[in-house]
Amino acid sequence: MKLTLWTYEGPPHIGAMRVATAMEGLHYVLHAPQGDTYADLLFTMIERRSKRPPVTYTTFQARDLGSDTAELFKTAVTEAYERFKPQALLVGASCTAELIQDDPGGLARSMGLPVPVVPVELPSYQKKENWGSAETFYQLVRSFTKKPEKRERAPGERPRCNILGPTALGFRHRDDVAEVTRLLDRLGVDVHVVAPLGATPADLVTLGEADFNVVLYPETGMVAAQWLMRNFGQPLVKTVPIGYGATREFITEVAKLTNIDPTPVLEEDESRLPWYSRSVDSTYLTGKRVFIFGDATHAVAAARMAAEEFGFTVVGLGTYSREFGREVREAAAKYGVEATITDDYLEVEAKITELQPELVLGTQMERHIAKRLGIPCAVISAPVHVQDFPARYSPQMGFEGANVIFDTWVHPLMMGLEEHLLHMFRDDMEFHDDAGASHLGSVKVAPPPAPREAPMETAVDTVAAPAADAAGETAVAERPVVWDAAAEQELRKIPFFVRGKARRNTERFATERGLTTITVDTLYDAKAHFGR
Amino acid sequence: MSQAVAAPAAPEGCDERQVLRQRGQREVFCGLTGIIWLHRKIQDAFFLVVGSRTCAHLIQSAAGVMIFAEPRFATAIIDDRDLAGLADANDELDAVVTQLLERRPDIKLLFLVGSCPSEVIKLDLSRAAQRLNTQFAPTVRVLSYSGSGIETTFTQGEDACLAALVPTLPSSDDSQLLVVGALADVVEDQFARLFAAMGLTKVRFLPPRQAGDMPPVGRGTKYLLAQPFLTDTARELEERGATRIAAPFPLGVEGTTLWLQAAATAFGITPAAFRAATEMAQERGKRALALHRDRLAGKRIFLFPDSQLEIPLARFLMRELGMTAVEAGTPYLHRQHMADELALLPESVTLSEGQDLERQLDRCRAEKPDLVVCGLGLANPLEAEGMTTKWSIELLFTPVQGYDQAGDLAELFARPLVRRTRLAV
């Protein structure tokens, strides 16, 4: 048993729902107790889908337990088939139904339905959502995809590929598919089938007819792609085109595989990221300390962008995708940091508190952790809330994706010029950080003297302290040191957005040296010690 | 769930009403969802669900952003090792509870909340609660109830929670009024003021805001249900000697007046004192409703089952706002508790208990109602079909009871219709 406040991934049957909902012509009959239908609202509310997910639940209750539930399941299958007339049925059990052992696969197969029935076994007490998606997609591909007839490409005919991995409830999957499809088209490659997103079971039958596969999201698409490679000899493109450099590598990889000359597409170079990043306003980004957490694919891609395309220093890198722990560890080693592989947000919180980064790139959870700690943050990975299924075009992949990411990450940081000006004028009455933000002349400026950051600091500390304890890191939590008045005054001259870090560093510095009072000199000694 | 409805002593023939009984797929929440408002109400209580990742995911999805504010609920996720042997599971649970209470020393009352997986593997949470109680008393009291989907639907989770509390309430045979059901603090305060104004001073609320402030119960207690879904809680209260004051539920001006009136009558408050205490608020409530009546009168509404509030809501919408309810679905119909509501509800309304989702959707489409009350899983898909919807879970999170919320309650139904007329896209 594990104490869980919140969870990065749902159970594996949610992963199966993400595949079923992504597809057309497929219906999922889920043996599940009353209440599990809550999952519908993830699709109808968070992703704002206009149709109910193609899922029928048996919704058994206590009075049905006993011999009845198998019958209930069969009724649900019959009615779902008659009502929705799908090309194929997916059947499985949720966590509770797994315990009552009705064998949905066996039951459904025995019914002699006129369409294929694909059972999915999803061990709910071991595995999670992404695994569920990958396994479901793999089972569908294994069941449906036919070995193609050998066929030579006609002269002048463009090579074709499948795009594998995008699902319902995927972070920016909709626009990534559009962007990558456009990129491939410019290169001279056609997309044969995108799956699961938008595909039917009939489409899956023909997957083998493509020349190669592009795996956009290894978490959900890799298992199926590897099966296609083993069985039909379809090569797979492994580079995930998130970031300017990765996109160029992706183009080169595809070009090599298809004997196409990538030069025109590479030279056209439609991303603004390189110039924006080189422009002088971005100089202040140099060495900004960034902590990165998310699913493995997005975290690894973000780390590369942070280091190579933004000039940040990666101080932490981690993932909740245990299946891809090795990849993330390897990436972390490149930046000289130890990977945080965990699905416990308290561990992530402790790590962020300890590192005090200047920017956090993460999921919805890290957004809230960063908010508490007063650190800027941008979202790079699922799980996400409704605002990260935007109406506007916002891919993460390809050259436009790089543009989107540049804006998204820089936005929470203060722009360079703004940061410089604030620093210069920090003691002016209008720009004093106690002055409050207002363009209205009539708004009275709050009287400055009271140390205004105190309550905020306290709030942060109450959160930070137990987390730090949990990590066995008590030096910061116990705080025997006091600030003398002059040092406190000096501390207040430091811009508010780095003051928390300065306070913490100085106190740690003092504690480690057994000092009980912090003077102005201690402050500057610490600054010299920690200065980068 | 209660079986005590075989021979209800209901007035004027409403038990003869035809009720469409439905079985099939049910698009409803399980009782775990109740935690989301209950933990806001009892401020020093913690709710620990013993369940699967699905349970944790459900609460997280239903609670939305609330979950990030260091909430007072969590899930002990059962894994493979726990399924291997029960003795082990108990040790594991003890370890989780110890870890939790170390992390949250401010907690005074801990609920172990059963789920479908914990019920199916027959993990005895009531014994676990007893065991942990002896370990952590007197600082923390540990209780258990089930919020599983196999046993409870949505608001029945609150019923199960309060029913678990009742046997532990202090005893007193003094005469008092006990208002039962979690109400928003603002609503509770309004009711307390109204009762005080009519001279009814011994009034307590269940659940209380603090675990240390539990109301007593005994033979002098007359209880008034503020919510329609408290079947088991009512039974437990009667076992402690309390007697129910029958009344409709305090939704709308009429409902609130009849509800308050029932309590006033039970305690011998004079009509003059009652009028003096409530007159102004009644007038104010009626004025607020008039604003929305123009928009809602004549509109046809269809209510999918969700919370058991559907029948009182249909009554309010029909009688005070001039709407027509074509079908009011409820997950469970307690005839005795609902008797006063049914007496006020026109016979033309189709009542349905339980659900067979696809068939109910067929009925709904055939009726072409002006407004559909339903859950979030159905709302957007029905909007996309051209229907106007009001998502029902908001009715549990928003203060809706009492005179001064009557206008707000009407507004919840008027807003989607107004929006539909405004949008030109």
Side-chain angles (χ1 to χ4, degrees):
Chain A
M1 240 174 245
K2 182 158 171 46
L3 181 62
T4 309
L5 269 74
W6 25 268
T7 149
Y8 286 97
E9 289 183 75
H13 72 262
I14 300 288
M17 281 185 71
R18 285 176 53 188
V19 170
T21 306
M23 290 181 60
E24 304 285 334
L26 179 72
H27 198 88
Y28 185 21
V29 180
L30 183 62
H31 204 14
Q34 163 175 280
D36 279 7
T37 51
Y38 81 86
D40 283 357
L41 72 87
L42 303 172
F43 299 92
T44 60
M45 296 304 292
I46 296 181
E47 202 179 3
R48 278 189 236 249
R49 285 194 170 249
S50 59
K51 282 195 292 192
R52 285 166 57 216
V55 182
T56 294
Y57 304 80
T58 55
T59 52
F60 56 84
Q61 294 173 267
R63 61 173 182 222
D64 302 317
L65 291 176
S67 59
D68 231 337
T69 51
E71 211 43 56
L72 205 63
F73 178 78
K74 286 163 104 172
T75 312
V77 170
T78 310
E79 292 189 357
Y81 174 73
E82 278 166 10
R83 185 172 284 265
F84 299 105
K85 291 280 188 309
Q87 295 176 16
L89 273 173
L90 194 64
V91 297
S94 82
C95 52
T96 306
E98 191 183 333
L99 298 172
I100 61 175
Q101 299 176 336
D102 274 336
D103 183 22
L107 288 169
R109 280 217 192 94
S110 71
M111 294 171 63
L113 292 167
V115 293
V117 173
V118 180
V120 274
E121 300 261 350
L122 305 171
S124 318
Y125 299 91
Q126 293 165 11
K127 304 290 189 182
K128 289 180 281 190
E129 179 176 331
N130 280 334
W131 188 91
S133 288
E135 171 70 11
T136 304
F137 184 46
Y138 162 69
Q139 291 297 348
L140 289 171
V141 167
R142 236 182 63 136
S143 307
F144 294 138
T145 309
K146 295 261 187 301
K147 199 170 177 103
E149 312 249 320
K150 269 263 180 263
R151 189 183 68 97
E152 284 300 309
R153 206 187 306 151
E157 190 185 322
R158 290 164 39 123
R160 287 187 296 170
C161 72
N162 300 311
I163 291 181
L164 303 182
T167 62
L169 216 61
F171 175 64
R172 307 295 166 89
H173 288 196
R174 176 196 71 195
D175 298 343
D176 283 349
V177 168
E179 187 63 20
V180 171
T181 303
R182 209 171 59 88
L183 196 62
L184 288 164
D185 176 54
R186 284 174 51 218
L187 202 54
V189 177
D190 287 335
V191 173
H192 175 59
V193 172
V194 178
L197 193 64
T200 62
D203 293 332
L204 295 188
V205 175
T206 72
L207 280 180
E209 292 167 17
D211 298 302
F212 65 100
N213 289 316
V214 168
V215 181
L216 291 191
Y217 309 99
E219 278 86 350
T220 49
M222 190 55 91
V223 191
Q226 282 169 341
W227 186 86
L228 289 166
M229 185 165 71
R230 279 196 310 273
N231 288 275
F232 304 155
Q234 274 179 320
L236 71 97
V237 173
K238 278 189 176 169
T239 307
V240 177
I242 300 178
Y244 176 73
T247 300
R248 290 176 69 90
E249 268 176 42
F250 173 82
I251 292 168
T252 312
E253 193 181 344
V254 172
K256 210 163 164 189
L257 200 64
T258 50
N259 288 320
I260 288 173
D261 177 15
T263 328
V265 179
L266 289 176
E267 275 178 357
E268 231 177 287
D269 199 356
E270 53 171 43
S271 175
R272 291 180 200 93
L273 181 141
W275 167 242
Y276 267 52
S277 212
R278 284 197 306 274
S279 82
V280 291
D281 190 62
S282 298
T283 311
Y284 81 107
L285 298 176
T286 315
K288 286 250 187 229
R289 302 168 69 256
V290 57
F291 179 88
I292 300 165
F293 194 86
D295 68 23
T297 303
H298 287 89
V300 170
R304 174 176 172 182
M305 289 186 79
E308 296 176 5
E309 297 173 20
F310 285 77
F312 293 151
T313 301
V314 176
V315 295
L317 176 60
T319 185
Y320 57 82
S321 320
R322 286 186 186 278
E323 294 91 343
F324 292 81
R326 193 170 53 85
E327 284 84 343
V328 177
R329 277 193 199 93
E330 276 169 14
K334 267 189 250 167
Y335 308 105
V337 297
E338 201 189 321
T340 308
I341 314 281
T342 181
D343 57 2
D344 182 348
Y345 91 100
L346 294 175
E347 251 180 74
V348 179
E349 184 179 281
K351 197 73 192 167
I352 295 176
T353 309
E354 178 200 325
L355 292 169
Q356 284 292 315
E358 289 158 279
L359 176 67
V360 172
L361 302 174
T363 72
Q364 193 60 29
M365 281 70 164
E366 283 67 47
R367 197 167 72 83
H368 285 269
I369 293 171
K371 197 166 157 189
R372 271 185 200 181
L373 299 175
I375 303 171
C377 178
V379 171
I380 59 158
S381 159
V384 292
H385 265 323
V386 62
Q387 71 269 28
D388 274 300
F389 287 93
R392 67 178 184 278
Y393 185 58
S394 17
Q396 299 286 289
M397 294 185 175
F399 291 129
E400 183 57 24
N403 294 340
V404 168
I405 289 175
F406 185 87
D407 291 345
T408 311
W409 293 9
V410 168
H411 193 119
L413 298 168
M414 208 168 307
M415 301 298 282
L417 187 61
E418 204 175 320
E419 181 170 325
H420 175 72
L421 288 176
L422 265 179
H423 200 79
M424 235 170 78
F425 297 129
R426 65 171 187 254
D427 286 329
D428 280 21
M429 55 178 290
E430 288 90 350
F431 291 100
H432 192 277
D433 47 85
D434 285 320
S438 175
H439 296 282
L440 304 173
S442 63
V443 173
K444 277 276 178 242
V445 170
R452 210 187 72 158
E453 79 276 23
M456 193 189 90
E457 291 269 4
T458 320
V460 169
D461 288 344
T462 49
V463 176
D469 281 341
E473 212 265 317
T474 48
V476 185
E478 34 177 274
R479 184 174 282 177
V481 287
V482 290
W483 290 71
D484 78 15
E488 188 77 51
Q489 198 57 40
E490 199 68 14
L491 179 71
R492 294 178 47 70
K493 293 179 188 167
I494 296 171
F496 65 90
F497 44 87
V498 286
R499 199 180 298 148
K501 191 178 77 169
R503 180 187 284 278
R504 207 163 266 109
N505 281 349
T506 310
E507 285 169 2
R508 173 186 297 183
F509 181 82
T511 312
E512 281 167 9
R513 278 153 193 77
L515 305 175
T516 50
T517 310
I518 292 171
T519 64
V520 173
D521 282 330
T522 323
L523 179 65
Y524 285 113
D525 286 345
K527 183 169 187 280
H529 178 78
F530 288 108
R532 53 164 191 248
Chain B
M1 270 172 277
S2 173
Q3 303 295 317
V5 289
E12 51 265 326
C14 47
D15 59 330
E16 282 142 36
R17 277 177 86 127
Q18 290 293 310
V19 174
L20 198 55
R21 286 219 165 65
Q22 299 264 288
R23 278 190 78 174
Q25 179 176 325
R26 294 164 70 105
E27 183 90 9
V28 286
F29 280 123
C30 65
L32 294 181
T33 328
I35 291 171
I36 293 159
W37 64 86
L38 282 170
H39 90 284
R40 306 300 307 163
K41 187 70 203 176
I42 316 177
Q43 290 155 15
D44 48 5
F46 196 101
F47 294 78
L48 179 66
V49 177
V50 181
S52 64
R53 182 168 300 281
T54 311
C55 308
H57 197 236
L58 159 91
I59 302 180
Q60 177 168 324
S61 310
V65 294
M66 232 194 307
I67 199 150
F68 299 106
E70 190 72 24
R72 278 174 288 102
F73 53 81
T75 310
I77 294 187
I78 298 171
D79 56 33
D80 268 14
R81 292 179 312 123
D82 303 307
L83 297 177
L86 286 183
D88 186 39
N90 282 312
D91 293 346
E92 292 274 309
L93 179 59
D94 291 6
V96 165
V97 169
T98 309
Q99 184 193 353
L100 172 69
L101 292 176
E102 274 166 9
R103 190 179 154 80
R104 297 298 302 265
D106 52 324
I107 296 308
K108 301 281 184 290
L109 177 59
L110 174 68
F111 286 102
L112 302 178
V113 189
S115 65
C116 303
S118 76
E119 298 291 331
V120 168
I121 65 170
K122 302 208 175 344
L123 187 58
D124 192 339
L125 290 184
S126 64
R127 275 184 55 194
Q130 278 172 19
R131 185 176 68 236
L132 289 160
N133 231 336
T134 50
Q135 191 180 335
F136 291 103
T139 355
V140 185
R141 208 142 55 85
V142 187
L143 293 173
S144 75
Y145 72 89
S146 171
S148 73
I150 56 177
E151 288 160 309
T152 58
T153 306
F154 194 29
T155 48
Q156 285 176 332
E158 176 176 331
D159 185 28
C161 173
L162 299 187
L165 268 179
V166 173
T168 73
L169 296 178
S171 287
S172 164
D173 286 341
D174 293 350
S175 164
Q176 65 160 351
L177 172 65
L178 185 63
V179 179
V180 187
L183 293 166
D185 287 355
V186 58
V187 176
E188 194 178 296
D189 293 341
Q190 287 168 12
F191 285 151
R193 280 199 299 273
L194 287 168
F195 285 128
M198 57 180 96
L200 197 48
T201 47
K202 297 205 71 175
V203 183
R204 298 294 299 270
F205 292 85
L206 181 73
R209 296 180 199 186
Q210 300 287 336
D213 189 31
M214 289 293 164
V217 65
R219 278 193 297 278
T221 300
K222 289 180 179 148
Y223 71 93
L224 186 59
L225 296 179
Q227 301 280 15
F229 42 74
L230 298 170
T231 306
D232 290 357
T233 308
R235 203 186 55 233
E236 291 287 345
L237 284 167
E238 309 222 330
E239 267 176 33
R240 296 284 306 265
T243 48
R244 184 171 73 96
I245 302 170
F249 295 94
L251 295 171
V253 173
E254 181 188 43
T256 303
T257 303
L258 291 172
W259 186 76
L260 291 168
Q261 177 75 68
T265 307
F267 284 88
I269 306 293
T270 64
F274 180 79
R275 212 169 31 250
T278 59
E279 205 162 30
M280 259 175 55
Q282 277 194 54
E283 284 312 310
R284 207 161 52 219
K286 281 180 190 156
R287 278 202 304 278
L289 284 180
L291 292 173
H292 300 288
R293 200 183 158 92
D294 297 341
R295 292 169 175 153
L296 291 170
K299 296 277 195 282
R300 298 166 70 249
I301 189 165
F302 191 107
L303 299 101
F304 277 81
D306 191 47
S307 62
Q308 299 184 44
L309 281 166
E310 296 80 7
I311 289 173
L313 283 172
R315 179 263 302 159
F316 161 68
L317 294 169
M318 291 184 82
R319 293 174 61 95
E320 298 188 55
L321 294 163
M323 296 182 82
T324 304
V326 289
E327 177 169 337
T330 177
Y332 175 66
L333 177 63
H334 190 296
R335 293 229 175 211
Q336 209 175 342
H337 289 178
M338 210 51 85
D340 291 86
E341 288 288 351
L342 291 173
L344 295 171
L345 192 67
E347 292 278 346
S348 58
V349 187
T350 300
L351 295 180
S352 64
E353 183 183 11
Q355 188 174 32
D356 184 342
L357 178 64
E358 301 294 349
R359 290 191 176 84
Q360 193 164 31
L361 282 167
D362 289 345
R363 289 202 300 278
C364 180
R365 290 181 186 116
E367 286 287 356
K368 294 189 173 45
D370 298 296
L371 187 63
V372 181
V373 180
C374 62
L376 290 173
L378 298 178
N380 270 336
L382 290 179
E383 290 278 350
E385 288 183 27
M387 289 188 231
T388 305
T389 63
K390 164 74 216 112
W391 45 282
S392 51
I393 191 170
E394 197 177 11
L395 296 161
L396 269 298
F397 294 154
T398 313
V400 294
Q401 293 86 358
Y403 291 125
D404 290 314
Q405 282 67 240
D408 304 343
L409 180 57
E411 211 263 335
L412 288 179
F413 295 92
R415 196 184 307 154
L417 290 165
V418 170
R419 182 165 187 77
R420 182 143 290 239
T421 58
R422 279 189 181 214
L423 293 182
V425 289

